[in-house]
Amino acid sequence: MAPPLMSISEMGVNLGDRWLLRGVDLSVSAGDRLALVGRNGAGKSTLMKLIAGQVEPDEGSRWVAPATEIAYLPQSPKFKGSMSLSSYVMQGLDNHSDLTVSERVKQAHRADAMLDRMGMDPARMTDGLSGGERRRASLARALITEPQVLLLDEPTNHLDLPTIEWLEDMLRARSGALILISHDRAFLRALGTGIIWIQQGTLRRREGAFEQFEDWSEGILTEEAVRLHKLDRKIAEETRWSHQGISARRKRNQGRLRELQDLRHLRARQGGQVIAQMSMSTGKAEGGGQIVLEARDLTVNIPNNNADTPEPTRAVNPESTRADTPEPTRADNQEPRPLVTHFNTIIRRGDRLGIVGPNGIGKSTLIRTLLGERDADKGYVKTGYGLLSAYFDQNRERLNPEATPWTTLCPDGGDVVEIDGKPRHVTSYLRDFLFDDYKMTQRVGTLSGGEQNRLLLARIFSEPHNFLVLDEPTNDLDMETIDLLQEVIADYDGTVLIVSHDRDFLDRTVTSILAFEEEGSIVPHAGGYSDYLGRLRKRKNKDKEAVKTAKKAGKAKPGDTGAAKAKKDRLSYKQVYQLEQLPKEIENLRAHIATGEAKLADMAFFERDPEGFEERATQLAADKASLAAKEESWLELEILKEAIEAD
């Protein structure tokens, strides 16, 4: 076993009224890749700060091996001053004074490459960065140091799926120790080789893949439940004794009463696992058939000269109409950049749709356009009769930071919220979403990201709706709450549209994917994210094979293709025939592909005939590969023809 790089011993953190962590022992060695899990508020981020030396414990000790560097990515990075992103990342190397000039230049190129890979301009200033941009910049800063111990607190929040997969590859190649806090099960499965579980102030560690966590933790919770049940029985027996005829005031019985009191205190401290319960009102949508939304030839553009320019949006006003809402304006000198082009789809009741694509490609814009909060540049969106939408936006703009959780749910005053047509006290309802009583009257702006997300979910689930739209709902939530959200979605009798970078969450909740692929192109795929990814890889492999085949065909007879090698006086009969026939074949293929894409856009097709849907999707991929090969062959023949005619 490798010697430890750092260790903490008998460490504890006291919050005044309770111990958050107590008696914590942990050692970290090179090669450790540990998943740190636990509920929101369990102390995961605090433990990270203890390991990083950023928080002083109330008891215990911390040891770090000589020459060991520890880098920490906090959940909410803070920025001081104004500088370029490249300079900010390079500040991570300020402690490396031994670097030569050439090594610093090399690291500067590496910093710029990482920022570019994360979709950020290295020359951009740190002023005005969003929360997601600050996180990405801080991630690059932590990675540039190549520390012996790397601590990452929710590193995948606000990252798109391609960047998450790139990050996985980078972290997998590291030889140093890694400790991760993440709600992303797929991310933890890809990287974790050990588990640290914090529960009720206690730390438990288990070596092994993250897949083993749920079985392991459920076994412990079952044992804990049995032990607490026995304790409850003992307390009940002792309580019955104290109420019987024997005088408890007699001296010989005082010790037994003190033991009973101690048992009660022990039971109160240990509590038990509190389980969140989410209530959802689905509302009623009468009439209108099975069509929820229909989009036809939908096109949405934004100015091309500044990717950070906010896109024009409608005011969120239920009384506004298209007629009284001004159209968005653009400067005359700005060429529009397409976010969505000629998008067609029909969303039916009961559909479970996931939307995926890189950051900034237009996922949130598409949602707002479908919901009528933003005008399309072309085409239209038609909504079904009786549609009641509920929208969870990733920026939580629908929460007032000056309000409290109580007033958020009861904006008109009072203490009652109606759930499924039945009155409930607001405190009872908020407890279902894991809010302590003192948190209910705190300003929303002072709550953590996870608490704000739970509050927004509580607000959404208290309102009647039959179309649930969730834009990155899993950010800042713990895995238990995500599991409960998955259960709610599974039982929901309406339609669900989800934007998420959490691959496991998508696989568990959606039955079809809308994928942003080429510029403005949105392609439907049956199944969850894993199904989509598998088809995407197959398609890429087929495209590569088609290109190789075309190149081999072109090189089979040297001198038959290419202007530089054109030595013939004329084309062969076969070549003339191909030149005549290929445009017809290409046109037929394009029409066939368009028909296939239209059929696959109908998700009801997948529900009726999943095997037929899969066959159609496979055939479509083959047709596209064939089209690419034929277009390349036609182009080579045209080049050859022009070369011969030029001679």
Side-chain angles (χ1 to χ4, degrees):
M1 185 176 179
L5 296 170
M6 66 81 54
S7 64
I8 54 179
S9 178
E10 293 295 320
M11 193 167 278
V13 176
N14 192 290
L15 299 181
D17 60 339
R18 64 186 178 92
W19 287 91
L20 178 64
L21 299 170
R22 191 84 188 272
V24 173
D25 296 309
L26 178 67
S27 66
V28 181
S29 302
D32 282 345
R33 294 207 295 264
L34 304 173
L36 178 54
V37 298
R39 290 181 54 178
N40 287 345
K44 301 188 296 296
S45 295
T46 301
L47 179 59
M48 282 285 214
K49 292 174 183 177
L50 288 169
I51 297 171
Q54 297 189 2
V55 170
E56 289 295 323
D58 294 291
E59 62 182 21
S61 60
R62 172 179 176 268
W63 174 84
V64 180
T68 297
E69 183 172 357
I70 300 176
Y72 170 51
L73 171 68
Q75 192 171 147
S76 301
K78 305 291 187 222
F79 282 66
K80 295 181 181 179
S82 177
M83 66 190 77
S84 70
L85 288 176
S86 182
S87 299
Y88 171 76
V89 173
M90 287 296 292
Q91 278 188 347
L93 297 171
D94 284 354
N95 294 330
H96 295 254
S97 56
D98 57 334
L99 290 177
T100 65
V101 174
S102 62
E103 287 172 335
R104 280 198 167 272
V105 170
K106 182 180 178 182
Q107 292 292 353
H109 286 303
R110 183 165 167 258
D112 290 353
M114 279 197 290
L115 287 167
D116 184 69
R117 184 64 183 81
M118 294 179 185
M120 305 183 73
D121 182 2
R124 185 181 173 186
M125 304 304 288
T126 54
D127 304 86
L129 294 176
S130 68
E133 289 168 334
R134 287 197 298 270
R135 182 181 293 274
R136 280 180 277 165
S138 299
L139 176 59
R141 178 168 167 162
L143 292 172
I144 198 74
T145 63
E146 297 184 334
Q148 286 81 9
V149 181
L150 180 60
L151 311 174
L152 301 179
D153 193 345
E154 296 287 2
T156 65
N157 274 2
H158 306 287
L159 297 185
D160 57 31
L161 289 166
T163 306
I164 291 173
E165 290 169 356
W166 165 81
L167 180 61
E168 284 177 0
D169 292 337
M170 176 173 281
L171 294 176
R172 199 181 286 110
R174 291 186 74 257
S175 58
L178 175 66
I179 301 180
L180 294 165
I181 297 176
S182 181
H183 63 265
D184 188 332
R185 282 182 167 87
F187 189 71
L188 294 178
R189 283 198 296 266
L191 295 169
T193 59
I195 307 163
I196 301 172
W197 182 29
I198 299 180
Q199 186 213 18
Q200 297 180 347
T202 302
L203 186 148
R204 295 181 174 91
R205 178 170 176 173
R206 189 182 192 280
E207 303 303 320
F210 181 74
E211 285 92 339
Q212 302 168 359
F213 169 70
E214 290 186 348
D215 289 339
W216 172 56
S217 61
E218 285 177 8
I220 292 174
L221 290 175
T222 300
E223 293 175 1
E224 184 77 2
V226 171
R227 188 181 64 80
L228 290 176
H229 178 67
K230 291 180 179 179
L231 182 59
D232 288 339
R233 286 177 58 186
K234 186 173 182 180
I235 291 173
E237 290 171 0
E238 292 297 297
T239 301
R240 282 196 299 272
W241 165 83
S242 70
H243 292 163
Q244 290 173 352
I246 301 174
S247 174
R249 287 186 289 273
R250 294 178 184 174
K251 187 174 181 180
R252 67 175 182 261
N253 293 320
Q254 294 304 305
R256 191 167 177 181
L257 281 176
R258 284 194 295 271
E259 290 176 2
L260 173 59
Q261 193 69 16
D262 290 341
L263 287 174
R264 287 172 172 167
H265 289 161
L266 176 64
R267 184 62 178 87
R269 287 197 305 272
Q270 295 185 350
Q273 191 78 350
V274 180
I275 305 298
Q277 299 292 328
M278 295 185 183
S279 302
M280 176 181 284
S281 173
T282 61
K284 294 182 179 180
E286 299 177 358
Q290 293 297 307
I291 303 299
V292 174
L293 284 173
E294 181 181 1
R296 289 298 174 198
D297 199 32
L298 201 66
T299 297
V300 181
N301 303 316
I302 63 167
N304 192 34
N305 65 340
N306 186 358
D308 298 318
T309 302
E311 54 201 351
T313 60
R314 295 180 160 277
V316 183
N317 181 359
E319 298 180 356
S320 68
T321 64
R322 290 187 181 273
D324 60 23
T325 305
E327 292 294 319
T329 57
R330 297 190 179 94
D332 293 336
N333 62 345
Q334 293 178 336
E335 290 292 330
R337 175 170 68 91
L339 288 181
V340 180
T341 58
H342 308 296
F343 175 56
N344 297 280
T345 192
I346 297 176
I347 300 176
R348 293 177 171 82
R349 299 204 187 282
D351 282 351
R352 299 293 197 263
L353 300 173
I355 301 178
V356 300
N359 285 342
I361 201 166
K363 301 186 297 294
S364 297
T365 302
L366 173 63
I367 283 177
R368 289 200 293 271
T369 305
L370 293 175
L371 293 176
E373 294 183 8
R374 189 198 195 283
D375 283 328
D377 292 273
K378 185 182 178 183
Y380 68 88
V381 176
K382 182 180 179 181
T383 60
Y385 176 74
L387 184 66
L388 298 173
S389 302
Y391 178 31
F392 179 104
D393 65 295
Q394 62 171 311
N395 297 320
R396 300 186 282 263
E397 294 175 355
R398 286 157 172 75
L399 291 179
N400 180 1
E402 300 302 319
T404 67
W406 186 305
T407 59
T408 297
L409 296 178
C410 300
D412 299 325
D415 55 7
V416 175
V417 59
E418 191 171 288
I419 308 297
D420 263 338
K422 300 177 183 178
R424 282 192 67 184
H425 198 278
V426 66
T427 58
S428 172
Y429 184 61
L430 282 170
R431 285 173 188 151
D432 287 349
F433 290 83
L434 306 181
F435 280 94
D436 296 325
D437 290 358
Y438 73 94
K439 287 278 189 179
M440 299 178 189
T441 54
Q442 286 190 2
R443 288 177 55 250
V444 171
T446 66
L447 301 177
S448 69
E451 289 167 336
Q452 290 186 25
N453 272 12
R454 292 204 305 272
L455 177 60
L456 187 53
L457 288 171
R459 177 178 171 178
I460 288 173
F461 295 166
S462 69
E463 301 168 350
H465 54 334
N466 48 32
F467 184 33
L468 182 62
V469 182
L470 304 173
D471 191 355
E472 298 290 2
T474 65
N475 282 346
D476 302 311
L477 294 182
D478 58 35
M479 284 188 288
E480 182 182 346
T481 308
I482 292 173
D483 287 345
L484 291 166
L485 180 58
Q486 290 169 179
E487 292 174 10
V488 167
I489 292 171
D491 295 335
Y492 185 49
D493 60 3
T495 305
V496 181
L497 185 63
I498 300 173
V499 174
S500 180
H501 64 265
D502 189 325
R503 293 157 291 181
D504 184 83
F505 183 72
L506 287 172
D507 280 339
R508 294 177 184 229
T509 54
V510 306
T511 57
S512 57
I513 294 288
L514 295 175
F516 281 79
E517 296 188 356
E518 301 170 356
E519 272 198 15
S521 176
I522 303 174
V523 181
H525 297 267
Y529 181 77
S530 297
D531 299 311
Y532 157 69
L533 191 62
R535 291 194 192 95
L536 189 64
R537 287 169 177 166
K538 283 182 182 178
R539 190 175 71 192
K540 287 181 177 179
N541 290 334
K542 286 183 178 180
D543 289 345
K544 288 179 181 178
E545 289 299 321
V547 171
K548 288 180 181 178
T549 302
K551 287 182 178 179
K552 287 179 180 178
K555 294 177 180 179
K557 296 181 180 180
D560 281 357
T561 60
K565 296 183 179 182
K567 302 295 183 182
K568 295 182 178 181
D569 295 329
R570 59 186 176 83
L571 295 173
S572 68
Y573 174 79
K574 183 178 179 181
Q575 289 171 328
V576 172
Y577 179 78
Q578 287 178 327
L579 199 55
E580 291 176 352
Q581 294 300 313
L582 278 172
K584 300 175 185 177
E585 294 174 7
I586 289 170
E587 192 63 31
N588 290 336
L589 265 175
R590 286 173 176 169
H592 194 62
I593 288 170
T595 302
E597 288 177 338
K599 285 184 178 292
L600 292 178
D602 181 8
M603 290 302 140
F605 177 25
F606 174 70
E607 295 175 358
R608 287 193 313 271
D609 185 10
E611 292 183 1
F613 189 99
E614 183 65 32
E615 289 176 5
R616 177 70 67 172
T618 303
Q619 183 59 50
L620 182 61
D623 289 343
K624 287 183 175 181
S626 178
L627 177 63
K630 289 181 182 295
E631 286 176 337
E632 187 168 346
S633 297
W634 176 83
L635 182 61
E636 289 177 345
L637 288 171
E638 278 291 325
I639 292 172
L640 177 59
K641 179 184 175 184
E642 290 177 5
I644 292 172
E645 291 175 350
D647 288 343

